[in-house]
Amino acid sequence: MYAAPNGIKGYSYLTAYAGTTPERADETLRVVQAEVARLAEGVSEEELERTRIGL
């Protein structure tokens, strides 16, 4: 799975990509959705720092 923050003129959004097989597509989608939903819980200082460095 790959995810990255993006932004355009005052707006931001998250791009996520996950490679999978047709047989596991439903499971992969559920995992990606769960991880995106988990963002509402907040991020750790370490995660925030890695994002700052990446930007």
PDB file of all heavy atoms in Angstrom, residues 8-50:
ATOM      1  N   ILE A   8      -3.394  21.387  -3.646  1.00  0.00           N
ATOM      2  CA  ILE A   8      -3.503  22.322  -4.760  1.00  0.00           C
ATOM      3  C   ILE A   8      -4.200  23.581  -4.262  1.00  0.00           C
ATOM      4  O   ILE A   8      -5.321  23.511  -3.757  1.00  0.00           O
ATOM      5  CB  ILE A   8      -4.320  21.729  -5.936  1.00  0.00           C
ATOM      6  CG1 ILE A   8      -3.609  20.516  -6.517  1.00  0.00           C
ATOM      7  CG2 ILE A   8      -4.559  22.771  -7.006  1.00  0.00           C
ATOM      8  CD1 ILE A   8      -4.389  19.809  -7.605  1.00  0.00           C
ATOM      9  N   LYS A   9      -3.547  24.713  -4.365  1.00  0.00           N
ATOM     10  CA  LYS A   9      -4.125  26.022  -4.065  1.00  0.00           C
ATOM     11  C   LYS A   9      -5.030  26.033  -2.838  1.00  0.00           C
ATOM     12  O   LYS A   9      -6.221  26.303  -2.915  1.00  0.00           O
ATOM     13  CB  LYS A   9      -4.896  26.541  -5.266  1.00  0.00           C
ATOM     14  CG  LYS A   9      -4.008  26.831  -6.455  1.00  0.00           C
ATOM     15  CD  LYS A   9      -4.774  27.451  -7.598  1.00  0.00           C
ATOM     16  CE  LYS A   9      -3.842  27.687  -8.764  1.00  0.00           C
ATOM     17  NZ  LYS A   9      -4.500  28.358  -9.866  1.00  0.00           N
ATOM     18  N   GLY A  10      -4.468  25.690  -1.684  1.00  0.00           N
ATOM     19  CA  GLY A  10      -5.209  25.785  -0.434  1.00  0.00           C
ATOM     20  C   GLY A  10      -6.048  24.568  -0.078  1.00  0.00           C
ATOM     21  O   GLY A  10      -6.707  24.559   0.950  1.00  0.00           O
ATOM     22  N   TYR A  11      -6.040  23.559  -0.896  1.00  0.00           N
ATOM     23  CA  TYR A  11      -6.784  22.330  -0.616  1.00  0.00           C
ATOM     24  C   TYR A  11      -5.806  21.179  -0.464  1.00  0.00           C
ATOM     25  O   TYR A  11      -4.750  21.165  -1.086  1.00  0.00           O
ATOM     26  CB  TYR A  11      -7.768  22.005  -1.750  1.00  0.00           C
ATOM     27  CG  TYR A  11      -8.844  23.033  -1.907  1.00  0.00           C
ATOM     28  CD1 TYR A  11      -8.686  24.089  -2.792  1.00  0.00           C
ATOM     29  CD2 TYR A  11     -10.011  22.950  -1.155  1.00  0.00           C
ATOM     30  CE1 TYR A  11      -9.673  25.048  -2.933  1.00  0.00           C
ATOM     31  CE2 TYR A  11     -10.999  23.910  -1.291  1.00  0.00           C
ATOM     32  CZ  TYR A  11     -10.827  24.961  -2.178  1.00  0.00           C
ATOM     33  OH  TYR A  11     -11.801  25.902  -2.304  1.00  0.00           O
ATOM     34  N   SER A  12      -6.147  20.217   0.346  1.00  0.00           N
ATOM     35  CA  SER A  12      -5.299  19.039   0.478  1.00  0.00           C
ATOM     36  C   SER A  12      -6.141  17.785   0.337  1.00  0.00           C
ATOM     37  O   SER A  12      -7.352  17.802   0.554  1.00  0.00           O
ATOM     38  CB  SER A  12      -4.565  19.054   1.818  1.00  0.00           C
ATOM     39  OG  SER A  12      -5.479  19.011   2.878  1.00  0.00           O
ATOM     40  N   TYR A  13      -5.477  16.717  -0.063  1.00  0.00           N
ATOM     41  CA  TYR A  13      -6.166  15.447  -0.217  1.00  0.00           C
ATOM     42  C   TYR A  13      -5.158  14.311  -0.070  1.00  0.00           C
ATOM     43  O   TYR A  13      -3.952  14.516  -0.133  1.00  0.00           O
ATOM     44  CB  TYR A  13      -6.907  15.357  -1.555  1.00  0.00           C
ATOM     45  CG  TYR A  13      -6.045  15.523  -2.779  1.00  0.00           C
ATOM     46  CD1 TYR A  13      -5.532  14.419  -3.444  1.00  0.00           C
ATOM     47  CD2 TYR A  13      -5.740  16.787  -3.277  1.00  0.00           C
ATOM     48  CE1 TYR A  13      -4.732  14.568  -4.564  1.00  0.00           C
ATOM     49  CE2 TYR A  13      -4.948  16.938  -4.404  1.00  0.00           C
ATOM     50  CZ  TYR A  13      -4.444  15.822  -5.044  1.00  0.00           C
ATOM     51  OH  TYR A  13      -3.663  15.972  -6.153  1.00  0.00           O
ATOM     52  N   LEU A  14      -5.664  13.125   0.134  1.00  0.00           N
ATOM     53  CA  LEU A  14      -4.843  11.944   0.303  1.00  0.00           C
ATOM     54  C   LEU A  14      -5.018  11.039  -0.907  1.00  0.00           C
ATOM     55  O   LEU A  14      -6.139  10.769  -1.330  1.00  0.00           O
ATOM     56  CB  LEU A  14      -5.279  11.184   1.571  1.00  0.00           C
ATOM     57  CG  LEU A  14      -4.592   9.854   1.831  1.00  0.00           C
ATOM     58  CD1 LEU A  14      -3.133  10.082   2.211  1.00  0.00           C
ATOM     59  CD2 LEU A  14      -5.316   9.102   2.935  1.00  0.00           C
ATOM     60  N   THR A  15      -3.900  10.587  -1.449  1.00  0.00           N
ATOM     61  CA  THR A  15      -3.923   9.615  -2.528  1.00  0.00           C
ATOM     62  C   THR A  15      -3.458   8.287  -1.953  1.00  0.00           C
ATOM     63  O   THR A  15      -2.449   8.238  -1.251  1.00  0.00           O
ATOM     64  CB  THR A  15      -2.962  10.033  -3.658  1.00  0.00           C
ATOM     65  OG1 THR A  15      -3.356  11.310  -4.151  1.00  0.00           O
ATOM     66  CG2 THR A  15      -2.969   9.033  -4.785  1.00  0.00           C
ATOM     67  N   ALA A  16      -4.197   7.225  -2.219  1.00  0.00           N
ATOM     68  CA  ALA A  16      -3.817   5.900  -1.731  1.00  0.00           C
ATOM     69  C   ALA A  16      -3.852   4.913  -2.887  1.00  0.00           C
ATOM     70  O   ALA A  16      -4.716   4.985  -3.761  1.00  0.00           O
ATOM     71  CB  ALA A  16      -4.757   5.446  -0.626  1.00  0.00           C
ATOM     72  N   TYR A  17      -2.903   3.985  -2.871  1.00  0.00           N
ATOM     73  CA  TYR A  17      -2.809   2.958  -3.897  1.00  0.00           C
ATOM     74  C   TYR A  17      -2.484   1.638  -3.209  1.00  0.00           C
ATOM     75  O   TYR A  17      -1.656   1.596  -2.296  1.00  0.00           O
ATOM     76  CB  TYR A  17      -1.697   3.294  -4.889  1.00  0.00           C
ATOM     77  CG  TYR A  17      -1.328   2.127  -5.774  1.00  0.00           C
ATOM     78  CD1 TYR A  17      -2.052   1.865  -6.934  1.00  0.00           C
ATOM     79  CD2 TYR A  17      -0.290   1.270  -5.436  1.00  0.00           C
ATOM     80  CE1 TYR A  17      -1.732   0.781  -7.736  1.00  0.00           C
ATOM     81  CE2 TYR A  17       0.030   0.189  -6.231  1.00  0.00           C
ATOM     82  CZ  TYR A  17      -0.691  -0.054  -7.369  1.00  0.00           C
ATOM     83  OH  TYR A  17      -0.385  -1.125  -8.163  1.00  0.00           O
ATOM     84  N   ALA A  18      -3.123   0.581  -3.636  1.00  0.00           N
ATOM     85  CA  ALA A  18      -2.796  -0.754  -3.131  1.00  0.00           C
ATOM     86  C   ALA A  18      -2.906  -1.747  -4.279  1.00  0.00           C
ATOM     87  O   ALA A  18      -3.957  -1.841  -4.914  1.00  0.00           O
ATOM     88  CB  ALA A  18      -3.739  -1.140  -1.997  1.00  0.00           C
ATOM     89  N   GLY A  19      -1.847  -2.452  -4.545  1.00  0.00           N
ATOM     90  CA  GLY A  19      -1.878  -3.496  -5.560  1.00  0.00           C
ATOM     91  C   GLY A  19      -2.468  -4.769  -4.949  1.00  0.00           C
ATOM     92  O   GLY A  19      -2.244  -5.063  -3.781  1.00  0.00           O
ATOM     93  N   THR A  20      -3.216  -5.500  -5.731  1.00  0.00           N
ATOM     94  CA  THR A  20      -3.849  -6.713  -5.221  1.00  0.00           C
ATOM     95  C   THR A  20      -4.188  -7.637  -6.374  1.00  0.00           C
ATOM     96  O   THR A  20      -3.883  -7.347  -7.534  1.00  0.00           O
ATOM     97  CB  THR A  20      -5.108  -6.366  -4.399  1.00  0.00           C
ATOM     98  OG1 THR A  20      -5.565  -7.535  -3.734  1.00  0.00           O
ATOM     99  CG2 THR A  20      -6.207  -5.782  -5.257  1.00  0.00           C
ATOM    100  N   THR A  21      -4.813  -8.738  -6.066  1.00  0.00           N
ATOM    101  CA  THR A  21      -5.307  -9.663  -7.081  1.00  0.00           C
ATOM    102  C   THR A  21      -6.830  -9.575  -7.096  1.00  0.00           C
ATOM    103  O   THR A  21      -7.432  -9.124  -6.113  1.00  0.00           O
ATOM    104  CB  THR A  21      -4.900 -11.109  -6.756  1.00  0.00           C
ATOM    105  OG1 THR A  21      -5.506 -11.493  -5.519  1.00  0.00           O
ATOM    106  CG2 THR A  21      -3.383 -11.259  -6.676  1.00  0.00           C
ATOM    107  N   PRO A  22      -7.463 -10.012  -8.169  1.00  0.00           N
ATOM    108  CA  PRO A  22      -8.929  -9.969  -8.197  1.00  0.00           C
ATOM    109  C   PRO A  22      -9.561 -10.719  -7.019  1.00  0.00           C
ATOM    110  O   PRO A  22     -10.571 -10.283  -6.461  1.00  0.00           O
ATOM    111  CB  PRO A  22      -9.283 -10.634  -9.530  1.00  0.00           C
ATOM    112  CG  PRO A  22      -8.097 -10.380 -10.400  1.00  0.00           C
ATOM    113  CD  PRO A  22      -6.914 -10.462  -9.471  1.00  0.00           C
ATOM    114  N   GLU A  23      -8.947 -11.822  -6.629  1.00  0.00           N
ATOM    115  CA  GLU A  23      -9.498 -12.615  -5.530  1.00  0.00           C
ATOM    116  C   GLU A  23      -9.437 -11.889  -4.183  1.00  0.00           C
ATOM    117  O   GLU A  23     -10.246 -12.158  -3.301  1.00  0.00           O
ATOM    118  CB  GLU A  23      -8.757 -13.957  -5.410  1.00  0.00           C
ATOM    119  CG  GLU A  23      -8.859 -14.849  -6.625  1.00  0.00           C
ATOM    120  CD  GLU A  23      -7.909 -14.451  -7.757  1.00  0.00           C
ATOM    121  OE1 GLU A  23      -6.897 -13.776  -7.490  1.00  0.00           O
ATOM    122  OE2 GLU A  23      -8.211 -14.800  -8.915  1.00  0.00           O
ATOM    123  N   ARG A  24      -8.484 -10.998  -4.024  1.00  0.00           N
ATOM    124  CA  ARG A  24      -8.315 -10.308  -2.742  1.00  0.00           C
ATOM    125  C   ARG A  24      -8.736  -8.847  -2.784  1.00  0.00           C
ATOM    126  O   ARG A  24      -8.504  -8.091  -1.848  1.00  0.00           O
ATOM    127  CB  ARG A  24      -6.855 -10.413  -2.307  1.00  0.00           C
ATOM    128  CG  ARG A  24      -6.454 -11.880  -2.056  1.00  0.00           C
ATOM    129  CD  ARG A  24      -5.117 -12.003  -1.456  1.00  0.00           C
ATOM    130  NE  ARG A  24      -5.155 -11.492  -0.101  1.00  0.00           N
ATOM    131  CZ  ARG A  24      -4.075 -11.344   0.661  1.00  0.00           C
ATOM    132  NH1 ARG A  24      -2.898 -11.660   0.210  1.00  0.00           N
ATOM    133  NH2 ARG A  24      -4.190 -10.862   1.882  1.00  0.00           N
ATOM    134  N   ALA A  25      -9.377  -8.423  -3.867  1.00  0.00           N
ATOM    135  CA  ALA A  25      -9.748  -7.020  -4.028  1.00  0.00           C
ATOM    136  C   ALA A  25     -10.659  -6.523  -2.906  1.00  0.00           C
ATOM    137  O   ALA A  25     -10.460  -5.430  -2.386  1.00  0.00           O
ATOM    138  CB  ALA A  25     -10.403  -6.799  -5.385  1.00  0.00           C
ATOM    139  N   ASP A  26     -11.660  -7.306  -2.522  1.00  0.00           N
ATOM    140  CA  ASP A  26     -12.566  -6.879  -1.447  1.00  0.00           C
ATOM    141  C   ASP A  26     -11.824  -6.693  -0.133  1.00  0.00           C
ATOM    142  O   ASP A  26     -12.023  -5.706   0.573  1.00  0.00           O
ATOM    143  CB  ASP A  26     -13.705  -7.883  -1.264  1.00  0.00           C
ATOM    144  CG  ASP A  26     -14.706  -7.860  -2.398  1.00  0.00           C
ATOM    145  OD1 ASP A  26     -14.816  -6.821  -3.083  1.00  0.00           O
ATOM    146  OD2 ASP A  26     -15.399  -8.879  -2.594  1.00  0.00           O
ATOM    147  N   GLU A  27     -10.945  -7.637   0.192  1.00  0.00           N
ATOM    148  CA  GLU A  27     -10.159  -7.539   1.424  1.00  0.00           C
ATOM    149  C   GLU A  27      -9.246  -6.315   1.384  1.00  0.00           C
ATOM    150  O   GLU A  27      -9.133  -5.573   2.366  1.00  0.00           O
ATOM    151  CB  GLU A  27      -9.328  -8.795   1.621  1.00  0.00           C
ATOM    152  CG  GLU A  27      -8.427  -8.737   2.845  1.00  0.00           C
ATOM    153  CD  GLU A  27      -7.472  -9.918   2.947  1.00  0.00           C
ATOM    154  OE1 GLU A  27      -7.418 -10.750   2.017  1.00  0.00           O
ATOM    155  OE2 GLU A  27      -6.777  -9.991   3.966  1.00  0.00           O
ATOM    156  N   THR A  28      -8.597  -6.095   0.259  1.00  0.00           N
ATOM    157  CA  THR A  28      -7.699  -4.948   0.114  1.00  0.00           C
ATOM    158  C   THR A  28      -8.453  -3.642   0.290  1.00  0.00           C
ATOM    159  O   THR A  28      -7.988  -2.734   0.990  1.00  0.00           O
ATOM    160  CB  THR A  28      -7.007  -4.989  -1.259  1.00  0.00           C
ATOM    161  OG1 THR A  28      -6.297  -6.228  -1.380  1.00  0.00           O
ATOM    162  CG2 THR A  28      -6.050  -3.831  -1.437  1.00  0.00           C
ATOM    163  N   LEU A  29      -9.626  -3.538  -0.305  1.00  0.00           N
ATOM    164  CA  LEU A  29     -10.436  -2.338  -0.163  1.00  0.00           C
ATOM    165  C   LEU A  29     -10.810  -2.106   1.298  1.00  0.00           C
ATOM    166  O   LEU A  29     -10.730  -0.982   1.796  1.00  0.00           O
ATOM    167  CB  LEU A  29     -11.688  -2.422  -1.026  1.00  0.00           C
ATOM    168  CG  LEU A  29     -12.634  -1.228  -0.953  1.00  0.00           C
ATOM    169  CD1 LEU A  29     -11.933   0.068  -1.358  1.00  0.00           C
ATOM    170  CD2 LEU A  29     -13.860  -1.483  -1.811  1.00  0.00           C
ATOM    171  N   ARG A  30     -11.202  -3.160   2.004  1.00  0.00           N
ATOM    172  CA  ARG A  30     -11.562  -3.022   3.426  1.00  0.00           C
ATOM    173  C   ARG A  30     -10.376  -2.534   4.256  1.00  0.00           C
ATOM    174  O   ARG A  30     -10.521  -1.689   5.140  1.00  0.00           O
ATOM    175  CB  ARG A  30     -12.089  -4.346   3.983  1.00  0.00           C
ATOM    176  CG  ARG A  30     -13.507  -4.659   3.559  1.00  0.00           C
ATOM    177  CD  ARG A  30     -14.105  -5.813   4.360  1.00  0.00           C
ATOM    178  NE  ARG A  30     -13.325  -7.041   4.252  1.00  0.00           N
ATOM    179  CZ  ARG A  30     -13.469  -7.947   3.295  1.00  0.00           C
ATOM    180  NH1 ARG A  30     -14.363  -7.766   2.343  1.00  0.00           N
ATOM    181  NH2 ARG A  30     -12.723  -9.028   3.277  1.00  0.00           N
ATOM    182  N   VAL A  31      -9.177  -3.052   3.962  1.00  0.00           N
ATOM    183  CA  VAL A  31      -7.976  -2.629   4.698  1.00  0.00           C
ATOM    184  C   VAL A  31      -7.680  -1.157   4.442  1.00  0.00           C
ATOM    185  O   VAL A  31      -7.409  -0.393   5.374  1.00  0.00           O
ATOM    186  CB  VAL A  31      -6.770  -3.520   4.334  1.00  0.00           C
ATOM    187  CG1 VAL A  31      -5.472  -2.935   4.883  1.00  0.00           C
ATOM    188  CG2 VAL A  31      -6.981  -4.935   4.850  1.00  0.00           C
ATOM    189  N   VAL A  32      -7.733  -0.729   3.187  1.00  0.00           N
ATOM    190  CA  VAL A  32      -7.469   0.675   2.845  1.00  0.00           C
ATOM    191  C   VAL A  32      -8.502   1.573   3.517  1.00  0.00           C
ATOM    192  O   VAL A  32      -8.150   2.592   4.121  1.00  0.00           O
ATOM    193  CB  VAL A  32      -7.456   0.888   1.317  1.00  0.00           C
ATOM    194  CG1 VAL A  32      -7.394   2.370   0.976  1.00  0.00           C
ATOM    195  CG2 VAL A  32      -6.283   0.150   0.689  1.00  0.00           C
ATOM    196  N   GLN A  33      -9.775   1.202   3.459  1.00  0.00           N
ATOM    197  CA  GLN A  33     -10.825   2.005   4.092  1.00  0.00           C
ATOM    198  C   GLN A  33     -10.608   2.101   5.598  1.00  0.00           C
ATOM    199  O   GLN A  33     -10.782   3.170   6.190  1.00  0.00           O
ATOM    200  CB  GLN A  33     -12.204   1.417   3.795  1.00  0.00           C
ATOM    201  CG  GLN A  33     -12.624   1.616   2.361  1.00  0.00           C
ATOM    202  CD  GLN A  33     -13.907   0.873   2.015  1.00  0.00           C
ATOM    203  OE1 GLN A  33     -14.166  -0.219   2.517  1.00  0.00           O
ATOM    204  NE2 GLN A  33     -14.710   1.472   1.152  1.00  0.00           N
ATOM    205  N   ALA A  34     -10.205   1.000   6.226  1.00  0.00           N
ATOM    206  CA  ALA A  34      -9.965   1.012   7.673  1.00  0.00           C
ATOM    207  C   ALA A  34      -8.800   1.930   8.035  1.00  0.00           C
ATOM    208  O   ALA A  34      -8.859   2.663   9.027  1.00  0.00           O
ATOM    209  CB  ALA A  34      -9.699  -0.405   8.173  1.00  0.00           C
ATOM    210  N   GLU A  35      -7.754   1.908   7.229  1.00  0.00           N
ATOM    211  CA  GLU A  35      -6.597   2.762   7.507  1.00  0.00           C
ATOM    212  C   GLU A  35      -6.945   4.240   7.321  1.00  0.00           C
ATOM    213  O   GLU A  35      -6.523   5.084   8.116  1.00  0.00           O
ATOM    214  CB  GLU A  35      -5.413   2.367   6.633  1.00  0.00           C
ATOM    215  CG  GLU A  35      -4.781   1.054   7.033  1.00  0.00           C
ATOM    216  CD  GLU A  35      -4.296   1.050   8.468  1.00  0.00           C
ATOM    217  OE1 GLU A  35      -3.542   1.966   8.868  1.00  0.00           O
ATOM    218  OE2 GLU A  35      -4.685   0.139   9.218  1.00  0.00           O
ATOM    219  N   VAL A  36      -7.705   4.564   6.308  1.00  0.00           N
ATOM    220  CA  VAL A  36      -8.125   5.956   6.107  1.00  0.00           C
ATOM    221  C   VAL A  36      -9.025   6.397   7.259  1.00  0.00           C
ATOM    222  O   VAL A  36      -8.869   7.495   7.796  1.00  0.00           O
ATOM    223  CB  VAL A  36      -8.815   6.134   4.736  1.00  0.00           C
ATOM    224  CG1 VAL A  36      -9.435   7.515   4.623  1.00  0.00           C
ATOM    225  CG2 VAL A  36      -7.814   5.909   3.610  1.00  0.00           C
ATOM    226  N   ALA A  37      -9.949   5.546   7.682  1.00  0.00           N
ATOM    227  CA  ALA A  37     -10.829   5.883   8.806  1.00  0.00           C
ATOM    228  C   ALA A  37     -10.023   6.080  10.089  1.00  0.00           C
ATOM    229  O   ALA A  37     -10.361   6.932  10.921  1.00  0.00           O
ATOM    230  CB  ALA A  37     -11.873   4.789   8.997  1.00  0.00           C
ATOM    231  N   ARG A  38      -8.944   5.311  10.241  1.00  0.00           N
ATOM    232  CA  ARG A  38      -8.103   5.415  11.441  1.00  0.00           C
ATOM    233  C   ARG A  38      -7.439   6.785  11.556  1.00  0.00           C
ATOM    234  O   ARG A  38      -7.077   7.230  12.653  1.00  0.00           O
ATOM    235  CB  ARG A  38      -7.046   4.307  11.412  1.00  0.00           C
ATOM    236  CG  ARG A  38      -6.338   4.095  12.727  1.00  0.00           C
ATOM    237  CD  ARG A  38      -5.472   2.847  12.673  1.00  0.00           C
ATOM    238  NE  ARG A  38      -4.387   2.937  11.720  1.00  0.00           N
ATOM    239  CZ  ARG A  38      -3.166   3.408  12.003  1.00  0.00           C
ATOM    240  NH1 ARG A  38      -2.889   3.864  13.212  1.00  0.00           N
ATOM    241  NH2 ARG A  38      -2.233   3.432  11.074  1.00  0.00           N
ATOM    242  N   LEU A  39      -7.304   7.495  10.464  1.00  0.00           N
ATOM    243  CA  LEU A  39      -6.709   8.839  10.512  1.00  0.00           C
ATOM    244  C   LEU A  39      -7.502   9.778  11.418  1.00  0.00           C
ATOM    245  O   LEU A  39      -6.937  10.714  11.984  1.00  0.00           O
ATOM    246  CB  LEU A  39      -6.612   9.424   9.105  1.00  0.00           C
ATOM    247  CG  LEU A  39      -5.583   8.784   8.185  1.00  0.00           C
ATOM    248  CD1 LEU A  39      -5.726   9.335   6.773  1.00  0.00           C
ATOM    249  CD2 LEU A  39      -4.177   8.995   8.713  1.00  0.00           C
ATOM    250  N   ALA A  40      -8.797   9.536  11.560  1.00  0.00           N
ATOM    251  CA  ALA A  40      -9.635  10.376  12.421  1.00  0.00           C
ATOM    252  C   ALA A  40      -9.209  10.282  13.888  1.00  0.00           C
ATOM    253  O   ALA A  40      -9.502  11.180  14.685  1.00  0.00           O
ATOM    254  CB  ALA A  40     -11.102   9.982  12.278  1.00  0.00           C
ATOM    255  N   GLU A  41      -8.495   9.214  14.246  1.00  0.00           N
ATOM    256  CA  GLU A  41      -8.001   9.045  15.614  1.00  0.00           C
ATOM    257  C   GLU A  41      -6.766   9.893  15.876  1.00  0.00           C
ATOM    258  O   GLU A  41      -6.319  10.009  17.012  1.00  0.00           O
ATOM    259  CB  GLU A  41      -7.666   7.572  15.873  1.00  0.00           C
ATOM    260  CG  GLU A  41      -8.861   6.653  15.750  1.00  0.00           C
ATOM    261  CD  GLU A  41      -8.476   5.189  15.797  1.00  0.00           C
ATOM    262  OE1 GLU A  41      -7.304   4.873  16.144  1.00  0.00           O
ATOM    263  OE2 GLU A  41      -9.328   4.362  15.485  1.00  0.00           O
ATOM    264  N   GLY A  42      -6.213  10.463  14.819  1.00  0.00           N
ATOM    265  CA  GLY A  42      -5.010  11.270  14.960  1.00  0.00           C
ATOM    266  C   GLY A  42      -3.772  10.482  14.561  1.00  0.00           C
ATOM    267  O   GLY A  42      -3.849   9.295  14.251  1.00  0.00           O
ATOM    268  N   VAL A  43      -2.655  11.154  14.555  1.00  0.00           N
ATOM    269  CA  VAL A  43      -1.386  10.523  14.197  1.00  0.00           C
ATOM    270  C   VAL A  43      -0.394  10.737  15.325  1.00  0.00           C
ATOM    271  O   VAL A  43      -0.516  11.669  16.125  1.00  0.00           O
ATOM    272  CB  VAL A  43      -0.822  11.087  12.873  1.00  0.00           C
ATOM    273  CG1 VAL A  43      -1.749  10.781  11.716  1.00  0.00           C
ATOM    274  CG2 VAL A  43      -0.579  12.577  12.971  1.00  0.00           C
ATOM    275  N   SER A  44       0.616   9.888  15.378  1.00  0.00           N
ATOM    276  CA  SER A  44       1.651  10.025  16.406  1.00  0.00           C
ATOM    277  C   SER A  44       2.615  11.146  16.019  1.00  0.00           C
ATOM    278  O   SER A  44       2.663  11.574  14.865  1.00  0.00           O
ATOM    279  CB  SER A  44       2.414   8.704  16.553  1.00  0.00           C
ATOM    280  OG  SER A  44       3.204   8.470  15.405  1.00  0.00           O
ATOM    281  N   GLU A  45       3.395  11.581  16.974  1.00  0.00           N
ATOM    282  CA  GLU A  45       4.413  12.598  16.687  1.00  0.00           C
ATOM    283  C   GLU A  45       5.398  12.084  15.648  1.00  0.00           C
ATOM    284  O   GLU A  45       5.835  12.827  14.779  1.00  0.00           O
ATOM    285  CB  GLU A  45       5.146  13.002  17.966  1.00  0.00           C
ATOM    286  CG  GLU A  45       4.340  13.904  18.874  1.00  0.00           C
ATOM    287  CD  GLU A  45       4.046  15.257  18.228  1.00  0.00           C
ATOM    288  OE1 GLU A  45       4.924  15.819  17.536  1.00  0.00           O
ATOM    289  OE2 GLU A  45       2.918  15.749  18.422  1.00  0.00           O
ATOM    290  N   GLU A  46       5.734  10.801  15.742  1.00  0.00           N
ATOM    291  CA  GLU A  46       6.660  10.203  14.779  1.00  0.00           C
ATOM    292  C   GLU A  46       6.079  10.224  13.362  1.00  0.00           C
ATOM    293  O   GLU A  46       6.778  10.572  12.408  1.00  0.00           O
ATOM    294  CB  GLU A  46       6.970   8.765  15.178  1.00  0.00           C
ATOM    295  CG  GLU A  46       7.959   8.075  14.260  1.00  0.00           C
ATOM    296  CD  GLU A  46       8.209   6.636  14.676  1.00  0.00           C
ATOM    297  OE1 GLU A  46       8.456   6.397  15.872  1.00  0.00           O
ATOM    298  OE2 GLU A  46       8.149   5.771  13.794  1.00  0.00           O
ATOM    299  N   GLU A  47       4.804   9.889  13.236  1.00  0.00           N
ATOM    300  CA  GLU A  47       4.163   9.923  11.917  1.00  0.00           C
ATOM    301  C   GLU A  47       4.121  11.350  11.370  1.00  0.00           C
ATOM    302  O   GLU A  47       4.361  11.579  10.187  1.00  0.00           O
ATOM    303  CB  GLU A  47       2.751   9.353  12.001  1.00  0.00           C
ATOM    304  CG  GLU A  47       2.728   7.856  12.236  1.00  0.00           C
ATOM    305  CD  GLU A  47       1.343   7.341  12.590  1.00  0.00           C
ATOM    306  OE1 GLU A  47       0.622   8.012  13.346  1.00  0.00           O
ATOM    307  OE2 GLU A  47       0.987   6.267  12.090  1.00  0.00           O
ATOM    308  N   LEU A  48       3.808  12.296  12.217  1.00  0.00           N
ATOM    309  CA  LEU A  48       3.761  13.688  11.816  1.00  0.00           C
ATOM    310  C   LEU A  48       5.132  14.171  11.356  1.00  0.00           C
ATOM    311  O   LEU A  48       5.254  14.839  10.334  1.00  0.00           O
ATOM    312  CB  LEU A  48       3.230  14.558  12.957  1.00  0.00           C
ATOM    313  CG  LEU A  48       3.039  16.021  12.642  1.00  0.00           C
ATOM    314  CD1 LEU A  48       2.068  16.219  11.481  1.00  0.00           C
ATOM    315  CD2 LEU A  48       2.536  16.755  13.890  1.00  0.00           C
ATOM    316  N   GLU A  49       6.170  13.802  12.082  1.00  0.00           N
ATOM    317  CA  GLU A  49       7.526  14.211  11.710  1.00  0.00           C
ATOM    318  C   GLU A  49       7.943  13.601  10.380  1.00  0.00           C
ATOM    319  O   GLU A  49       8.558  14.273   9.547  1.00  0.00           O
ATOM    320  CB  GLU A  49       8.528  13.834  12.810  1.00  0.00           C
ATOM    321  CG  GLU A  49       9.922  14.356  12.568  1.00  0.00           C
ATOM    322  CD  GLU A  49      10.011  15.882  12.453  1.00  0.00           C
ATOM    323  OE1 GLU A  49       9.134  16.599  12.985  1.00  0.00           O
ATOM    324  OE2 GLU A  49      10.958  16.348  11.795  1.00  0.00           O
ATOM    325  N   ARG A  50       7.618  12.329  10.149  1.00  0.00           N
ATOM    326  CA  ARG A  50       7.946  11.697   8.861  1.00  0.00           C
ATOM    327  C   ARG A  50       7.232  12.415   7.721  1.00  0.00           C
ATOM    328  O   ARG A  50       7.802  12.596   6.642  1.00  0.00           O
ATOM    329  CB  ARG A  50       7.547  10.215   8.875  1.00  0.00           C
ATOM    330  CG  ARG A  50       8.490   9.345   9.663  1.00  0.00           C
ATOM    331  CD  ARG A  50       8.335   7.868   9.342  1.00  0.00           C
ATOM    332  NE  ARG A  50       6.962   7.406   9.277  1.00  0.00           N
ATOM    333  CZ  ARG A  50       6.343   6.703  10.227  1.00  0.00           C
ATOM    334  NH1 ARG A  50       6.969   6.396  11.339  1.00  0.00           N
ATOM    335  NH2 ARG A  50       5.099   6.303  10.061  1.00  0.00           N
TER     336      ARG A  50
END
